[in-house]
Amino acid sequence: MAAEKPSASSEVLAWLPIVVMAVVAVVDVVAGPEVGFLPLVSLGPAFAGLVGGWRRTAWIGLLALVLCAGLGLYDGLFDGRRGYTAMASVAGVTCAGVAAAVMRGRREAELASVRSIAEVAQRVLLRPVPLTAGPLQAAVSYTSAVAEARIGGDLYEVVASPHGIRVIVGDVQGKGLAAVETAAVVLGAFREAAHDEPDLVGLGERLERSVARELEGEKFVTAILAEVGTDHEAVFLTYGHPAPMVVRRDGTADFPQPPAYALPLGLGAHGGEGPKPYRVAFVPGEQLLLYTDGVTEARDPGGAFYPLGERAHLLKDADARAALEALREDLVRHAAAPPHDDAAMLLLRYHAHGPHQEGLHGHEGGKSCW
């Protein structure tokens, strides 16, 4: 793997200590010893401690001491205290810069370790979706609102079961590790029940029981379950989740609504009827997008929500991953800022002549991060 080229800003910061010391030296020579610019040579090791490693900071500090001594002799400052005071200032700032560089290096190493662990946890929790599942081509885009951790509370999964291709997209209330733990419970229950339960209602009941055992108080998980079989229909079961978007062959977008709205997973004990399954035509050449509210509630600088339905035409690329990437990039441009909520999108594309007999393939679907 080729090493990444340093950016222009990093190159500027790397040369900044040398440039600062050179400017101070020129100004000191031109202005003369009476102005008192010599202590400003310490800016070199100060900037080096902010942007470089401790070894480089020490070398720049040594260079600053040599430069300070040379200028002090040129200006005749060592006849009094001014030259020694300037040398002491440079030495002190160099020591502080080296200490700062050491501490920053340790923090960066710890952060890199945390990110690495989070990425491994995310790969275990949110396994890459298959490139193909029966007649479907799949792609996924996931963005965590916790950029340092790169993992959050949105969840998704695609399972090829004896009852059809089953899919879940969900959104755990809250963020951070607590949300990740809840997402793991939901996904674990879904992966097991998707193979066992003959219909989506039974699958949803299994998920409700699993979530109810784990969650406390008023916590909940919104979710939408989908099943695509061989009858050119998609069956949905919605637990307080945004409606799916079905992109028809003519490019128009539908948002089929459930016959009745149900509470999210984890709130079944509060009463009310459970969700009712509903069927929607889903034929070859059409696309199905499941998403979390981090997509539709993304706001532009003027406060307008992302118009997902108006952007359905972006899903026109022949490759599902490239099509979803185009939609994701448009969402990023709309928000024009880091996301305030986790955002997940799962795209299923129905091909007229898909690999019906091949089932799940061990290929990764596309994944993207802001």
Side-chain angles (χ1 to χ4, degrees), residues 120-142:
V120 172
Q122 187 176 37
R123 285 196 295 271
V124 173
L125 176 62
L126 298 176
R127 300 180 302 198
V129 301
L131 179 64
T132 57
L136 305 179
Q137 184 184 11
V140 65
S141 169
Y142 182 88

mmCIF file of all heavy atoms in Angstrom, residues 120-142:
data_model
loop_
_atom_site.group_PDB
_atom_site.id
_atom_site.type_symbol
_atom_site.label_atom_id
_atom_site.label_comp_id
_atom_site.label_asym_id
_atom_site.label_seq_id
_atom_site.Cartn_x
_atom_site.Cartn_y
_atom_site.Cartn_z
ATOM 1 N N VAL A 120 -12.541 -2.455 14.437
ATOM 2 C CA VAL A 120 -12.710 -3.907 14.545
ATOM 3 C C VAL A 120 -14.080 -4.235 15.118
ATOM 4 O O VAL A 120 -14.780 -5.136 14.625
ATOM 5 C CB VAL A 120 -11.593 -4.510 15.423
ATOM 6 C CG1 VAL A 120 -11.871 -5.984 15.695
ATOM 7 C CG2 VAL A 120 -10.241 -4.352 14.742
ATOM 8 N N ALA A 121 -14.484 -3.493 16.165
ATOM 9 C CA ALA A 121 -15.808 -3.721 16.761
ATOM 10 C C ALA A 121 -16.914 -3.472 15.750
ATOM 11 O O ALA A 121 -17.896 -4.217 15.695
ATOM 12 C CB ALA A 121 -15.987 -2.808 17.984
ATOM 13 N N GLN A 122 -16.746 -2.442 14.924
ATOM 14 C CA GLN A 122 -17.770 -2.150 13.923
ATOM 15 C C GLN A 122 -17.846 -3.251 12.878
ATOM 16 O O GLN A 122 -18.926 -3.620 12.418
ATOM 17 C CB GLN A 122 -17.489 -0.811 13.256
ATOM 18 C CG GLN A 122 -18.622 -0.373 12.326
ATOM 19 C CD GLN A 122 -18.379 0.998 11.748
ATOM 20 O OE1 GLN A 122 -17.249 1.355 11.441
ATOM 21 N NE2 GLN A 122 -19.423 1.775 11.595
ATOM 22 N N ARG A 123 -16.688 -3.797 12.479
ATOM 23 C CA ARG A 123 -16.709 -4.877 11.496
ATOM 24 C C ARG A 123 -17.384 -6.118 12.050
ATOM 25 O O ARG A 123 -18.028 -6.869 11.314
ATOM 26 C CB ARG A 123 -15.283 -5.198 11.036
ATOM 27 C CG ARG A 123 -14.689 -4.167 10.090
ATOM 28 C CD ARG A 123 -13.478 -4.704 9.390
ATOM 29 N NE ARG A 123 -12.379 -4.984 10.293
ATOM 30 C CZ ARG A 123 -11.450 -4.108 10.640
ATOM 31 N NH1 ARG A 123 -11.479 -2.886 10.135
ATOM 32 N NH2 ARG A 123 -10.480 -4.433 11.466
ATOM 33 N N VAL A 124 -17.215 -6.353 13.371
ATOM 34 C CA VAL A 124 -17.877 -7.505 13.990
ATOM 35 C C VAL A 124 -19.369 -7.249 14.134
ATOM 36 O O VAL A 124 -20.199 -8.119 13.859
ATOM 37 C CB VAL A 124 -17.242 -7.810 15.363
ATOM 38 C CG1 VAL A 124 -18.027 -8.892 16.084
ATOM 39 C CG2 VAL A 124 -15.790 -8.242 15.179
ATOM 40 N N LEU A 125 -19.717 -6.040 14.584
ATOM 41 C CA LEU A 125 -21.117 -5.710 14.812
ATOM 42 C C LEU A 125 -21.860 -5.517 13.494
ATOM 43 O O LEU A 125 -22.907 -6.134 13.257
ATOM 44 C CB LEU A 125 -21.206 -4.434 15.656
ATOM 45 C CG LEU A 125 -22.604 -3.887 15.921
ATOM 46 C CD1 LEU A 125 -23.431 -4.889 16.714
ATOM 47 C CD2 LEU A 125 -22.520 -2.551 16.662
ATOM 48 N N LEU A 126 -21.335 -4.644 12.644
ATOM 49 C CA LEU A 126 -21.961 -4.353 11.359
ATOM 50 C C LEU A 126 -21.143 -5.013 10.259
ATOM 51 O O LEU A 126 -20.307 -4.378 9.624
ATOM 52 C CB LEU A 126 -22.051 -2.841 11.146
ATOM 53 C CG LEU A 126 -22.900 -2.070 12.157
ATOM 54 C CD1 LEU A 126 -22.829 -0.575 11.873
ATOM 55 C CD2 LEU A 126 -24.339 -2.550 12.132
ATOM 56 N N ARG A 127 -21.386 -6.279 10.068
ATOM 57 C CA ARG A 127 -20.651 -7.014 9.054
ATOM 58 C C ARG A 127 -20.977 -6.456 7.674
ATOM 59 O O ARG A 127 -22.097 -6.010 7.436
ATOM 60 C CB ARG A 127 -21.013 -8.500 9.123
ATOM 61 C CG ARG A 127 -20.693 -9.128 10.460
ATOM 62 C CD ARG A 127 -21.061 -10.591 10.487
ATOM 63 N NE ARG A 127 -22.475 -10.820 10.208
ATOM 64 C CZ ARG A 127 -23.110 -11.953 10.503
ATOM 65 N NH1 ARG A 127 -22.446 -12.939 11.085
ATOM 66 N NH2 ARG A 127 -24.385 -12.094 10.229
ATOM 67 N N PRO A 128 -20.026 -6.487 6.751
ATOM 68 C CA PRO A 128 -20.319 -6.019 5.392
ATOM 69 C C PRO A 128 -21.483 -6.794 4.796
ATOM 70 O O PRO A 128 -21.553 -8.016 4.908
ATOM 71 C CB PRO A 128 -19.013 -6.310 4.636
ATOM 72 C CG PRO A 128 -17.953 -6.361 5.696
ATOM 73 C CD PRO A 128 -18.626 -6.928 6.910
ATOM 74 N N VAL A 129 -22.407 -6.070 4.191
ATOM 75 C CA VAL A 129 -23.538 -6.746 3.565
ATOM 76 C C VAL A 129 -23.049 -7.456 2.313
ATOM 77 O O VAL A 129 -22.040 -7.066 1.717
ATOM 78 C CB VAL A 129 -24.666 -5.751 3.212
ATOM 79 C CG1 VAL A 129 -25.156 -5.043 4.447
ATOM 80 C CG2 VAL A 129 -24.192 -4.753 2.161
ATOM 81 N N PRO A 130 -23.742 -8.514 1.881
ATOM 82 C CA PRO A 130 -23.310 -9.217 0.676
ATOM 83 C C PRO A 130 -23.473 -8.344 -0.561
ATOM 84 O O PRO A 130 -24.387 -7.521 -0.638
ATOM 85 C CB PRO A 130 -24.241 -10.436 0.629
ATOM 86 C CG PRO A 130 -25.447 -10.004 1.382
ATOM 87 C CD PRO A 130 -24.939 -9.114 2.486
ATOM 88 N N LEU A 131 -22.596 -8.527 -1.514
ATOM 89 C CA LEU A 131 -22.716 -7.811 -2.772
ATOM 90 C C LEU A 131 -23.991 -8.206 -3.494
ATOM 91 O O LEU A 131 -24.676 -7.374 -4.093
ATOM 92 C CB LEU A 131 -21.494 -8.099 -3.648
ATOM 93 C CG LEU A 131 -21.465 -7.436 -5.018
ATOM 94 C CD1 LEU A 131 -21.409 -5.929 -4.879
ATOM 95 C CD2 LEU A 131 -20.279 -7.944 -5.818
ATOM 96 N N THR A 132 -24.332 -9.503 -3.430
ATOM 97 C CA THR A 132 -25.583 -9.985 -4.008
ATOM 98 C C THR A 132 -26.258 -10.914 -3.019
ATOM 99 O O THR A 132 -25.595 -11.623 -2.255
ATOM 100 C CB THR A 132 -25.340 -10.755 -5.327
ATOM 101 O OG1 THR A 132 -24.443 -11.844 -5.083
ATOM 102 C CG2 THR A 132 -24.767 -9.845 -6.391
ATOM 103 N N ALA A 133 -27.589 -10.903 -3.041
ATOM 104 C CA ALA A 133 -28.393 -11.802 -2.216
ATOM 105 C C ALA A 133 -29.585 -12.223 -3.064
ATOM 106 O O ALA A 133 -30.505 -11.436 -3.281
ATOM 107 C CB ALA A 133 -28.859 -11.116 -0.929
ATOM 108 N N GLY A 134 -29.552 -13.440 -3.572
ATOM 109 C CA GLY A 134 -30.592 -13.872 -4.488
ATOM 110 C C GLY A 134 -30.611 -12.959 -5.700
ATOM 111 O O GLY A 134 -29.576 -12.680 -6.311
ATOM 112 N N PRO A 135 -31.771 -12.408 -6.052
ATOM 113 C CA PRO A 135 -31.856 -11.505 -7.206
ATOM 114 C C PRO A 135 -31.490 -10.059 -6.877
ATOM 115 O O PRO A 135 -31.634 -9.190 -7.723
ATOM 116 C CB PRO A 135 -33.334 -11.595 -7.595
ATOM 117 C CG PRO A 135 -34.027 -11.823 -6.294
ATOM 118 C CD PRO A 135 -33.110 -12.702 -5.486
ATOM 119 N N LEU A 136 -31.033 -9.812 -5.668
ATOM 120 C CA LEU A 136 -30.798 -8.439 -5.227
ATOM 121 C C LEU A 136 -29.312 -8.110 -5.230
ATOM 122 O O LEU A 136 -28.470 -8.939 -4.876
ATOM 123 C CB LEU A 136 -31.355 -8.228 -3.818
ATOM 124 C CG LEU A 136 -32.831 -8.565 -3.600
ATOM 125 C CD1 LEU A 136 -33.205 -8.309 -2.150
ATOM 126 C CD2 LEU A 136 -33.724 -7.759 -4.537
ATOM 127 N N GLN A 137 -29.013 -6.876 -5.616
ATOM 128 C CA GLN A 137 -27.686 -6.310 -5.410
ATOM 129 C C GLN A 137 -27.803 -5.325 -4.260
ATOM 130 O O GLN A 137 -28.768 -4.555 -4.189
ATOM 131 C CB GLN A 137 -27.184 -5.599 -6.669
ATOM 132 C CG GLN A 137 -25.754 -5.079 -6.545
ATOM 133 C CD GLN A 137 -25.308 -4.299 -7.776
ATOM 134 O OE1 GLN A 137 -26.117 -3.976 -8.639
ATOM 135 N NE2 GLN A 137 -24.030 -3.988 -7.856
ATOM 136 N N ALA A 138 -26.836 -5.350 -3.337
ATOM 137 C CA ALA A 138 -26.948 -4.545 -2.118
ATOM 138 C C ALA A 138 -25.733 -3.642 -1.953
ATOM 139 O O ALA A 138 -24.623 -3.955 -2.405
ATOM 140 C CB ALA A 138 -27.093 -5.449 -0.896
ATOM 141 N N ALA A 139 -25.954 -2.524 -1.301
ATOM 142 C CA ALA A 139 -24.887 -1.593 -0.934
ATOM 143 C C ALA A 139 -25.315 -0.865 0.320
ATOM 144 O O ALA A 139 -26.507 -0.670 0.557
ATOM 145 C CB ALA A 139 -24.603 -0.603 -2.064
ATOM 146 N N VAL A 140 -24.351 -0.460 1.124
ATOM 147 C CA VAL A 140 -24.654 0.202 2.379
ATOM 148 C C VAL A 140 -23.724 1.387 2.588
ATOM 149 O O VAL A 140 -22.557 1.359 2.177
ATOM 150 C CB VAL A 140 -24.553 -0.778 3.575
ATOM 151 C CG1 VAL A 140 -23.130 -1.269 3.767
ATOM 152 C CG2 VAL A 140 -25.070 -0.137 4.849
ATOM 153 N N SER A 141 -24.254 2.433 3.181
ATOM 154 C CA SER A 141 -23.469 3.596 3.578
ATOM 155 C C SER A 141 -23.755 3.863 5.045
ATOM 156 O O SER A 141 -24.918 3.935 5.450
ATOM 157 C CB SER A 141 -23.855 4.822 2.730
ATOM 158 O OG SER A 141 -23.279 5.998 3.271
ATOM 159 N N TYR A 142 -22.707 4.004 5.846
ATOM 160 C CA TYR A 142 -22.890 4.223 7.285
ATOM 161 C C TYR A 142 -21.980 5.357 7.744
ATOM 162 O O TYR A 142 -20.793 5.375 7.429
ATOM 163 C CB TYR A 142 -22.558 2.963 8.074
ATOM 164 C CG TYR A 142 -22.787 3.135 9.565
ATOM 165 C CD1 TYR A 142 -24.030 2.883 10.119
ATOM 166 C CD2 TYR A 142 -21.775 3.594 10.403
ATOM 167 C CE1 TYR A 142 -24.263 3.067 11.471
ATOM 168 C CE2 TYR A 142 -21.999 3.778 11.759
ATOM 169 C CZ TYR A 142 -23.243 3.516 12.287
ATOM 170 O OH TYR A 142 -23.471 3.717 13.613
#
